[in-house]
Amino acid sequence: MKYYCPTHGDLLCGDCIVKNNHTCKMEVIADVSKGYGNSTEFKQHEVKLNTITDKISKTKHDIDLTAVSIDEAKKQSVKQVRKFQAELINTINKMSDEVTTDIEAKAQTTHAILSNLKTTSKTGELEVHSMTNVIKNCKGNDVLLFIATHRTKDIAKNVSNKIDEVENALERVPTYKFSENVQTKALLQNSAGIGHYKQTLPSGAHTGKHGKLN
């Protein structure tokens, strides 16, 4: 490189000038470069290079800060997800316990009703068995049979009425069946999931003008 074209800013050799038919006025580099180390152009260029170097250094620093910010956001988000997960599980467990307790209480009440009905039925069965034995022992003696029959008529009627009451009560014994909550089931089937990891700001907004976290 021996020549410099001030018009285009090109550095050229003799062959390039001849081959490309340059018509611009050329300057000899050896002449125009004298004292160039102290020239304004060189000093401005040197300042520019230093500025670019500082800019690169700041950019690298900002990249590192952004990486730290992203990792911190990831850490906090995972923590939030786990916390929300625990809250959901605890809430579901609490609701499940409430329903289970209600099921047990209703079942216990129903069994108490059935137990009373069964006791009444058993008492009626014993009374009928007793009357049957009395009648059986009086057979062959019409007088005793007549007396026994009339004495047990009211008892038999009372027993029959009690059994009717037991049958009616049995028909009214409540039965239960678990039914899933429609809203809760829809939440479980929601394809949107429990949340999203969304972008809030451009990555550059995480750092300030001087590379400090805001």
Side-chain angles (χ1 to χ4, degrees):
M1 296 298 175
K2 294 182 179 180
Y3 302 97
Y4 171 68
C5 175
T7 303
H8 299 94
D10 291 336
L11 298 173
L12 304 166
C13 66
D15 292 340
C16 291
I17 294 174
V18 175
K19 185 183 297 183
N20 297 317
N21 296 316
H22 279 280
T23 58
C24 297
K25 182 179 179 181
M26 298 294 167
E27 295 182 353
V28 179
I29 295 176
D31 294 336
V32 298
S33 64
K34 291 178 180 179
Y36 190 73
N38 294 319
S39 68
T40 300
E41 182 183 51
F42 172 72
K43 290 179 179 180
Q44 289 177 343
H45 184 63
E46 194 172 35
V47 169
K48 185 176 182 179
L49 290 177
N50 290 333
T51 300
I52 294 173
T53 300
D54 292 340
K55 186 177 181 180
I56 291 172
S57 178
K58 178 185 176 300
T59 300
K60 290 170 62 180
H61 182 63
D62 288 347
I63 290 172
D64 292 338
L65 288 178
T66 302
V68 171
S69 178
I70 290 173
D71 287 341
E72 182 62 24
K74 178 192 73 174
K75 180 181 177 181
Q76 292 300 322
S77 295
V78 171
K79 186 176 180 180
Q80 284 181 288
V81 170
R82 297 306 180 201
K83 182 181 178 182
F84 189 35
Q85 177 188 31
E87 290 175 354
L88 290 174
I89 293 173
N90 289 337
T91 300
I92 292 175
N93 287 340
K94 182 179 179 181
M95 291 189 293
S96 299
D97 290 342
E98 289 175 353
V99 174
T100 302
T101 299
D102 187 47
I103 291 172
E104 294 291 344
K106 285 183 169 69
Q108 187 174 359
T109 300
T110 303
H111 278 297
I113 295 172
L114 294 176
S115 179
N116 290 333
L117 295 179
K118 190 171 184 179
T119 298
T120 301
S121 299
K122 186 64 177 179
T123 300
E125 183 182 29
L126 293 174
E127 289 178 339
V128 171
H129 183 70
S130 177
M131 289 185 289
T132 301
N133 286 335
V134 170
I135 296 296
K136 183 178 180 181
N137 291 331
C138 292
K139 285 182 178 182
N141 187 325
D142 289 341
V143 174
L144 294 177
L145 189 60
F146 179 84
I147 294 172
T149 299
H150 281 271
R151 281 182 172 178
T152 57
K153 274 186 178 182
D154 290 339
I155 299 174
K157 183 178 180 180
N158 288 335
V159 171
S160 179
N161 290 337
K162 287 182 179 179
I163 297 304
D164 288 341
E165 292 174 359
V166 168
E167 290 179 346
N168 290 332
L170 186 60
E171 291 178 357
R172 296 193 302 272
V173 171
T175 57
Y176 303 92
K177 180 181 179 181
F178 174 69
S179 178
E180 297 172 343
N181 182 284
V182 177
Q183 288 82 3
T184 304
K185 188 172 183 179
L187 177 63
L188 295 174
Q189 294 174 340
N190 188 353
S191 60
I194 64 171
H196 299 282
Y197 194 51
K198 294 182 177 180
Q199 179 177 335
T200 55
L201 292 171
S203 59
H206 293 290
T207 57
K209 182 177 179 181
H210 299 291
K212 296 180 180 179
L213 285 175
N214 288 330

